[in-house]
Amino acid sequence: MPQLPALDKLLPLAPWLCLALLLPLTQLLAAWSKRQVVRALGWWGVPLTTGWLGVPVHEASHLLAAKLLGREVVRVRWFAPDADSGSLGGVEWRPGQGPLAWLAILTVGVAPLAGGTLALRGLLLGAALATDLPVPAMPQGADGAAWQAAGLALLHWAQAATAALWSRQDPLAWSAVLGWWAVVSVAAHLTPSRPDLQGAWRGALLVAALVAVAVAGLQAAQIPWQDPVMHAVRATTWWLAPGLLLALPATVTVGLTATLLARLRGQ
């Protein structure tokens, strides 16, 4: 029987933990922030503040995933707030039948997580180009200390980039404010809705089974896979995590502001 990889070969786990913690934390804080906005401004507060930007990014992620998988898209509602149903937009598409359709449902359903995090990264790259301040490089190691230092460097970079933009003597200075608002808007609508994930459990089980079979096969053939996988995880995490990390304080700021406004209004 093939032996499972030793735990020490899977450590350190800092990149895994970074993404595993940041993604749900970003979504939880975004949900809390949206509740505070609704409390302060009513249901229409969300579509009129973050929804006009975050919802099209969300729906574009669904659309692109469906198109890449060769599925037929019937209708796209980029931004169509409906207070009665609570819907802000939607993509209607035909997944087909069978196991490949299960994978398509899973992929299209969770696509906003990937699309939103990539959009956040794009905002960071745009700030880097506008300020000539490159985003900090990926940590060379995978230990917790290296990733903590990288996170602090990223926060310092964000402060420097914001200050550099705001100090400009032209209208581009306002991109510092608009950029942070875009970060909040995209992060607020990363989470797949319940209809997005309807039926996705079949695809998730299929993916888990395929991964288990692949790992068992690689182990049986004595093919080293841990190092390439860890390198891919580090690279992917550093591509996705910076936007999520910077979205946290921005989202909390909006939530606290909305909370204060709600209290001033006696809500």
Side-chain angles (χ1 to χ4, degrees):
M1 176 179 290
Q3 297 295 317
L4 292 177
L7 184 60
D8 60 350
K9 292 184 178 181
L10 295 178
L11 294 176
L13 298 176
W16 295 83
L17 293 175
C18 180
L19 200 57
L21 293 176
L22 276 178
L23 194 54
L25 183 59
T26 303
Q27 295 176 82
L28 287 172
L29 287 176
W32 167 79
S33 180
K34 285 190 288 187
R35 287 196 300 270
Q36 302 312 305
V37 171
V38 171
R39 178 184 166 199
L41 303 175
W43 185 87
W44 280 93
V46 172
L48 294 179
T49 55
T50 62
W52 61 272
L53 177 59
V55 172
V57 172
H58 181 108
E59 305 308 341
S61 302
H62 287 311
L63 176 64
L64 182 59
K67 289 291 188 180
L68 289 176
L69 293 174
R71 306 296 161 169
E72 180 184 357
V73 176
V74 179
R75 181 188 181 194
V76 181
R77 291 177 294 131
W78 294 104
F79 183 58
D82 185 343
D84 293 332
S85 65
S87 173
L88 297 175
V91 175
E92 298 176 21
W93 63 290
R94 294 191 173 97
Q97 300 292 330
L100 290 180
W102 302 347
L103 294 176
I105 292 171
L106 174 64
T107 303
V108 175
V110 302
L113 295 175
T117 49
L118 287 174
L120 290 173
R121 181 68 182 199
L123 290 170
L124 267 62
L125 294 178
L129 290 173
T131 60
D132 288 329
L133 295 173
V135 178
M138 180 182 74
Q140 294 302 308
D143 59 282
W147 282 77
Q148 181 180 9
L152 291 175
L154 181 67
L155 293 176
H156 293 154
W157 171 85
Q159 293 174 347
T162 302
L165 286 172
W166 188 243
S167 63
R168 293 178 64 101
Q169 302 301 314
D170 55 37
L172 190 59
W174 285 99
S175 63
V177 176
L178 296 177
W180 278 109
W181 193 254
V183 167
V184 172
S185 298
V186 173
H189 299 276
L190 276 174
T191 309
S193 65
R194 185 172 298 178
D196 290 343
L197 298 178
Q198 186 174 2
W201 62 271
R202 295 186 182 89
L205 289 178
L206 182 56
V207 169
L210 292 174
V211 170
V213 170
V215 170
L218 291 171
Q219 288 296 118
Q222 297 184 343
I223 298 175
W225 58 272
Q226 293 90 344
D227 289 342
V229 167
M230 282 302 301
H231 179 76
V233 168
R234 288 201 303 270
T236 302
T237 299
W238 190 247
W239 184 258
L240 298 179
L244 296 173
L245 179 62
L246 295 183
L248 291 178
T251 300
V252 170
T253 300
V254 170
L256 291 176
T257 302
T259 300
L260 178 59
L261 179 59
R263 290 183 177 179
L264 291 175
R265 297 184 59 199
Q267 299 295 324

